[in-house]
Amino acid sequence: MLTREFCAENMQLVPAAVAAGAARAAGRITILPGGGITWENAERIAAELGVGEVHGTKIVRLP
């Protein structure tokens, strides 16, 4: 499991780990990163990790 602490300390390893997990799952699951993701950083994080979806409690920008 990629914990927040691991990711913070090893960010350069995270995209490869996510890609490896997705490849191993072969379409049976969706890798859905979460934790600290907001509307302000969701697109950047998704691009950095190579995923099409993210999870967060502050994803929608409110007026």
Side-chain angles (χ1 to χ4, degrees), residues 1-48:
M1 174 187 258
L2 297 177
T3 65
R4 185 182 298 197
E5 292 78 22
F6 175 86
C7 293
E9 295 171 7
N10 301 283
M11 191 57 203
Q12 74 280 3
L13 303 175
V14 174
V18 170
R24 185 173 177 203
R28 294 184 307 261
I29 64 170
T30 300
I31 304 296
L32 195 64
I37 298 177
T38 68
W39 66 269
E40 296 169 307
N41 63 14
E43 288 184 23
R44 177 182 55 80
I45 290 172
E48 287 178 7

